[in-house]
Amino acid sequence: MTAEEVKVLDTTLRDGEQTPGVALSPDEKLEIAKGLDELGVDMIEAGSAVTSVGERQGISKITAEGLDAEISSYTRGLQSDIDSALECDVDAVHLVIPTSDLHIEKKLQKSKDEVMEMATDTARYALDHGLTVELSAEDATRSDRNFLKEVFEAGMEEGVHRICVCDTVSLMMPEQIFDLFSDLSEFVEVPLSAHCHDDFGVAVANTISAVRAGAREFHATINGLGERSGNAALEEVVLALSEFYDYRTNVDLKGLLETSKLVEQHTAIPVSPTKAVIGANAFAHEAGIHAHGVLTESTTYEPISPEKVGQERRLIFGKHTGKHAIENELESKGLDASEDQIEEIFQRIKELGDRGKLVTDAEWSAIVDEVMGRSLEDLVEIEELTVTSGDNVTPTASVKVRYEDKVFVEAGVGVGPVDAAINAVRKVVEGISNINLQEYHVDAISGGTDAMVDVVVKLTDGQRIIDSRGSNEDIIKASVQAMLNGVNRLLWDKKLGER
């Protein structure tokens, strides 16, 4: 049998942007939209055109790009919202009408008859102007089911193309969602869609239940972004439908990680390492028994191949690491270590872990180099670092770095002295090699005014991603050292690999 197709409406640019602290520029919206289109989503809710001039500029940039995905704007039941959407030349509108007694009486302060009229009038207006209309019931899971059906029936009589049920504040569990959608799928004559929020941590489960009960479209966001606790995470839903059920989407699973990182970059909302599917630890193994098992047969501790979703397997070295993982890593680097050397590396890693330290990639490599007698001098060395900061002064940093027989001098500004120093070093690094900073965080701070600071950074050269640490009483020096330790490690690994 051929798997049944389920359409995907991505609302990262609308509901996702409503994540507290997130605001996307028109150009950022366009870049994310292009990434979503390349990923293969069927519909992109590009924003709410009535919001602002900037929002309309962002939506218009997307509609002008000629993407394959249907581009829609969120609208309320107001003709002015439809006009704003038309101004942006969208293909469709996501027409959202509150249907619960709570929203009708307290938010709208209208009667049900007035709400019904609002729904039909705006739907008819949008349809008359050539728009595809998806009629959504806001707070549908707290609505009287008979009234919900009346609204949907009136919309279908007007000619709306799709019907959507919104679990606006996540007030149904999966079995309740299954019951609701089973009932509505027998009644609704156009494609039925699910829009689930994650207030109780069941948005993905609810979305899957809705599909199993008859929904043939769902709304989701990349990385599960959204108001409060977020929306259903697109990457989790599409993977689950692919792996466990006889449904298919047009989403390219291999592009999930790349799209996730694009959204993470522009929203500045970091993805938890333990996030399913696209988290940094989703295919990472430290515990000895797990690492040994996955190296022997990957399916022992991996439900799917990491490459399926654009990920890579990572072995993390720490106090739970076993000797088998160490042996495997050394062999993969072409290093022939003796039993005594493996034991020495094993013990040093255990000691670091027992002190509560993260064993970064750079530290792992330094231990291996020392134990195996590989003397690797720094390829990149800092010769000067100057930082200026103060009241009414833009934090500025300048660095002078030597790489082989060349000297690089760069300057950077930032929101603070650390940010300025990192930006200056980043410019130097990008001039030396294609190495980019992905993450920065302060790992540990001891007590006292002369506190020792540990800074951990995540760097990538496009082929590998490594962690590196810098420690110093001065957070600026610790930050710069973390960067350079990682850069040296990546450059040395590249050099050794070319030999």
Side-chain angles (χ1 to χ4, degrees), residues 428-495:
V428 172
V429 169
E430 290 173 350
I432 293 171
S433 183
N434 186 29
I435 297 174
N436 295 303
L437 173 67
Q438 284 196 332
E439 292 180 19
Y440 167 97
H441 68 272
V442 179
D443 189 47
I445 302 178
S446 60
T449 56
D450 58 348
M452 178 64 72
V453 179
D454 272 3
V455 171
V456 176
V457 297
K458 192 182 294 291
L459 301 172
T460 181
D461 60 1
Q463 302 298 317
R464 294 182 57 209
I465 299 174
I466 71 162
D467 293 310
S468 178
R469 184 201 310 275
S471 298
N472 199 284
E473 293 88 352
D474 185 329
I475 191 171
I476 299 172
K477 291 180 179 178
S479 302
V480 171
Q481 195 56 55
M483 286 280 289
L484 294 183
N485 285 344
V487 168
N488 276 307
R489 188 68 256 163
L490 285 169
L491 290 175
W492 261 116
D493 286 350
K494 183 178 180 181
K495 234 182 200 322

Side-chain angles (χ1 to χ4, degrees), residues 268-313:
I269 301 293
V271 173
S272 168
T274 56
K275 170 77 168 65
V277 187
I278 44 81
N281 292 352
F283 298 94
H285 310 274
E286 179 183 333
I289 190 170
H290 282 215
H292 183 273
V294 83
L295 289 170
T296 304
E297 170 51 58
S298 63
T299 56
T300 53
Y301 291 105
E302 288 177 349
I304 61 167
S305 163
E307 291 78 15
K308 185 167 189 171
V309 292
Q311 285 266 38
E312 290 183 357
R313 180 177 302 116

Side-chain angles (χ1 to χ4, degrees), residues 308-481:
K308 185 167 189 171
V309 292
Q311 285 266 38
E312 290 183 357
R313 180 177 302 116
R314 295 174 65 215
L315 295 181
I316 306 300
F317 297 98
K319 70 177 182 179
H320 302 106
T321 299
K323 291 183 183 178
H324 189 81
I326 292 173
E327 292 172 359
N328 182 83
E329 184 68 10
L330 292 172
E331 288 175 8
S332 72
K333 300 295 183 187
L335 300 176
D336 186 15
S338 67
E339 287 297 323
D340 288 345
Q341 287 173 327
I342 291 171
E343 178 65 27
E344 175 69 13
I345 294 168
F346 177 70
Q347 292 302 330
R348 290 202 187 190
I349 288 173
K350 291 282 187 183
E351 288 169 11
L352 271 176
D354 283 339
R355 297 205 322 258
K357 295 287 187 181
L358 164 71
V359 182
T360 67
D361 301 83
E363 285 164 332
W364 148 261
S365 296
I367 290 170
V368 171
D369 294 340
E370 185 177 343
V371 170
M372 297 192 68
R374 301 196 313 166
S375 179
L376 305 179
E377 74 277 9
D378 286 344
L379 294 174
V380 178
E381 294 182 287
I382 189 163
E383 295 191 343
E384 293 179 12
L385 170 63
T386 304
V387 180
T388 303
S389 183
D391 292 340
N392 302 316
V393 175
T394 301
T396 306
S398 64
V399 293
K400 181 180 178 182
V401 169
R402 181 173 296 279
Y403 173 54
E404 296 180 332
D405 60 346
K406 297 178 181 178
V407 172
F408 295 81
V409 178
E410 286 287 358
V413 297
V415 296
V418 173
D419 188 39
I422 287 289
N423 287 335
V425 174
R426 192 202 308 252
K427 289 182 182 179
V428 172
V429 169
E430 290 173 350
I432 293 171
S433 183
N434 186 29
I435 297 174
N436 295 303
L437 173 67
Q438 284 196 332
E439 292 180 19
Y440 167 97
H441 68 272
V442 179
D443 189 47
I445 302 178
S446 60
T449 56
D450 58 348
M452 178 64 72
V453 179
D454 272 3
V455 171
V456 176
V457 297
K458 192 182 294 291
L459 301 172
T460 181
D461 60 1
Q463 302 298 317
R464 294 182 57 209
I465 299 174
I466 71 162
D467 293 310
S468 178
R469 184 201 310 275
S471 298
N472 199 284
E473 293 88 352
D474 185 329
I475 191 171
I476 299 172
K477 291 180 179 178
S479 302
V480 171
Q481 195 56 55

Side-chain angles (χ1 to χ4, degrees), residues 115-117 119-121 123-124 127 135 147-160 163 187:
V115 169
M116 185 75 74
E117 184 178 1
T120 54
D121 285 353
R124 187 182 312 118
L127 291 164
L135 176 61
F147 180 65
L148 190 62
K149 289 181 176 180
E150 287 177 20
V151 172
F152 288 160
E153 184 173 23
M156 289 187 290
E157 288 177 356
E158 291 296 336
V160 300
I163 293 291
F187 166 78

Side-chain angles (χ1 to χ4, degrees), residues 23 43 50 78 98 111 118 126 184 208 271 282 291 326 343 350 353 392 420 451 483:
M43 293 89 89
V50 76
L78 300 171
S111 67
M118 181 172 62
L184 291 177
I208 293 168
V271 173
I326 292 173
E343 178 65 27
K350 291 282 187 183
N392 302 316
M483 286 280 289

